[in-house]
Amino acid sequence: MTHVYGVVPSRRLGRSLGVSTIPFKTCNYSCIYCQLGRTTNMTNTRTSFYPPGEIINQVRDFVNEKGDESFDVVTVVGEGEPTLYRPLDQLAEAIRKLTFKPLVLITNGSLLFDEDLRDEISGFDIVMPTLDAYDQESFRCINRPLGKLEYEEVYEGLVDFSRKFDGELWLEVMLVKGYNDDEESLMLLKERISRVKTERVYINVPARPPAEDGVKIPDIATLKLARELLGATSIENMPVSNFLSRESDAESTVIEIIKRHPMSQEDIESLLRSRFGPGSAEVFFEKLSSRGDVERCEYVGKIFYRYRSIL
C-alpha cells in the first residue's frame, strides 16, 4: 500500500504532498459530487487501518529522496474521510520531525464534535472542513451521510471546534447547481457560516467527474453572487498541471495519484512525458484497456481517468 502520493497541484495550497491514511472509498458520507465515485465502505468507526510507522516511513522516504523543497505543504487527505484514522496525533508529531512545511488536514468535518479527535488534530497548522448543507434535508441530499449522523450535531461540532482550534481553519463550500446554489440556500449558508470562526472561506464546484449523473457546475452569475454573499474566494478553475511522483514506472505513477485525485488526459500526458519521456503516455493509455479498476469519464468537455474499486 502506497500512503504517500504526489506532489499534487492544489488551488488552495500550492504543491501538496498527499498522505493517505485510509483504504479506498472508506467514508461516512457518499457525496453526490465526490470525484472518486460512490462510497463503497460506509463507516463511522475510527480505527488504525494501517500501522502509523508504515505511513511515517513512506513520508520519510519521500522527503529523503525528493527533499522538502519539492512541496509546499503536507496534506493528510486520501480517498475517503481521513479523520476515521487513528491515531492522527502520532502521525502529526512524526511528520513534524521530518519537515518544517505546514501540516494540513482536509476533512468533511463530520466528526469534529468528537473530543478525542479534536485532541488528535490540535497539532495541525491548517484544518480544512467542508460545509455544503444548511439543514438536515440538504445534508441528506448532498452529502448522504451514514444514517446515525445528524446535521445539527455535525454543524455544532464544527462551530465549537473552530472557536477552540489554535491553528487556521479554512472552510470550503461545494456548490452544486440545483441543490444549494439558489439565493435562499446561499442566505441560509451565510447564516450558518457566520457562526464559524474561519480565516478563509472557499467556494468550490464539481470540476471533476462527480459520483452521480446530473451534478452540474453553477453558472458564472451564481458564483459571483455566492462570493459576495459568503465573503468567499472562488476556486472553480482547475490548478495548473504540476504533478510529481516517486513511482518507478508510468502505470504505478498514474494509478497511485488517481486513487485519490482523478486526472485529465492532458495532465496524465504532461506528467508521463516529463517523467518518462516521449511515447510513455501513448503506451500507458494502451495498457488502460486491460485494467478493470480505471474508469474513463467525459465531463465538462474533458476526458478524465479515475480509479474505481472492483468488488
Side-chain angles (χ1 to χ4, degrees):
M1 174 67 185
T2 301
H3 301 288
V4 175
Y5 66 97
V7 176
V8 171
S10 166
R11 289 165 287 180
R12 295 156 295 182
L13 298 166
R15 299 171 301 164
S16 171
L17 177 62
V19 178
S20 175
T21 58
I22 53 176
F24 183 73
K25 286 308 295 175
T26 298
C27 195
N28 50 12
Y29 286 2
S30 187
C31 298
I32 59 172
Y33 59 76
C34 184
Q35 63 184 9
L36 297 176
R38 295 179 181 176
T39 297
T40 54
N41 182 24
M42 288 283 282
T43 181
N44 213 33
T45 302
R46 300 189 63 225
T47 188
S48 298
F49 296 99
Y50 309 103
E54 180 178 304
I55 301 172
I56 294 162
N57 285 340
Q58 290 187 19
V59 177
R60 180 181 295 107
D61 289 345
F62 186 97
V63 174
N64 288 342
E65 179 180 335
K66 299 293 186 182
D68 59 7
E69 67 277 2
S70 65
F71 56 89
D72 300 314
V73 298
V74 177
T75 306
V76 175
V77 54
E79 51 269 57
E81 175 47 42
T83 61
L84 290 170
Y85 181 86
R86 67 190 324 163
L88 286 170
D89 51 351
Q90 287 188 27
L91 291 184
E93 291 168 8
I95 292 171
R96 288 254 183 243
K97 298 176 181 178
L98 300 175
T99 176
F100 65 91
K101 294 298 177 68
L103 186 58
V104 181
L105 173 67
I106 297 180
T107 171
N108 61 24
S110 59
L111 299 178
L112 292 177
F113 60 82
D114 185 321
E115 292 290 347
D116 290 338
L117 172 62
R118 291 186 191 185
D119 290 341
E120 288 183 33
I121 64 176
S122 61
F124 281 77
D125 296 295
I126 301 169
V127 171
M128 300 174 63
T130 299
L131 182 65
D132 311 315
Y134 46 84
D135 61 12
Q136 183 70 13
E137 181 179 359
S138 59
F139 187 43
R140 294 291 176 196
C141 288
I142 299 170
N143 302 119
R144 300 189 299 192
L146 192 67
K148 68 175 74 173
L149 287 170
E150 297 293 330
Y151 179 81
E152 288 300 332
E153 182 178 33
V154 171
Y155 171 70
E156 291 298 336
L158 168 63
V159 171
D160 193 45
F161 174 77
S162 74
R163 296 175 180 179
K164 295 177 180 177
F165 180 53
D166 290 332
E168 293 191 12
L169 189 138
W170 299 2
L171 191 66
E172 179 179 299
V173 180
M174 179 69 80
L175 291 185
V176 181
K177 187 173 184 177
Y179 284 85
N180 62 352
D181 68 329
D182 60 278
E183 187 168 354
E184 181 181 358
S185 296
L186 292 174
M187 291 303 296
L188 291 169
L189 281 168
K190 178 180 180 180
E191 181 180 350
R192 291 292 190 176
I193 292 170
S194 68
R195 294 185 57 217
V196 181
K197 182 179 179 294
T198 177
E199 279 70 27
R200 305 182 189 184
V201 178
Y202 289 104
I203 293 172
N204 205 350
V205 299
R208 297 183 180 87
E212 303 299 337
D213 295 336
V215 170
K216 296 181 180 179
I217 298 172
D219 57 46
I220 293 174
T222 297
L223 293 175
K224 181 176 183 295
L225 175 63
R227 287 195 299 268
E228 294 171 354
L229 288 177
L230 305 183
T233 300
S234 185
I235 54 172
E236 69 268 20
N237 294 321
M238 296 282 282
V240 176
S241 175
N242 187 24
F243 291 84
L244 176 66
S245 173
R246 63 189 295 265
E247 296 295 327
S248 58
D249 65 272
E251 194 167 359
S252 297
T253 295
V254 174
I255 296 302
E256 287 306 321
I257 293 176
I258 66 174
K259 280 183 178 179
R260 296 94 178 188
H261 189 289
M263 297 176 70
S264 69
Q265 182 166 317
E266 292 85 350
D267 281 345
I268 292 174
E269 290 172 347
S270 175
L271 170 64
L272 295 185
R273 285 171 180 161
S274 65
R275 176 78 190 277
F276 300 102
S280 57
E282 288 76 7
V283 172
F284 170 76
F285 288 118
E286 288 176 5
K287 288 184 177 181
L288 283 186
S289 61
S290 64
R291 295 190 65 116
D293 58 355
V294 176
E295 181 181 12
R296 181 183 185 272
C297 311
E298 292 189 30
Y299 184 67
V300 294
K302 291 186 176 183
I303 296 174
F304 290 85
Y305 291 87
R306 69 182 177 190
Y307 187 83
R308 63 180 179 183
S309 60
I310 302 176
L311 300 178

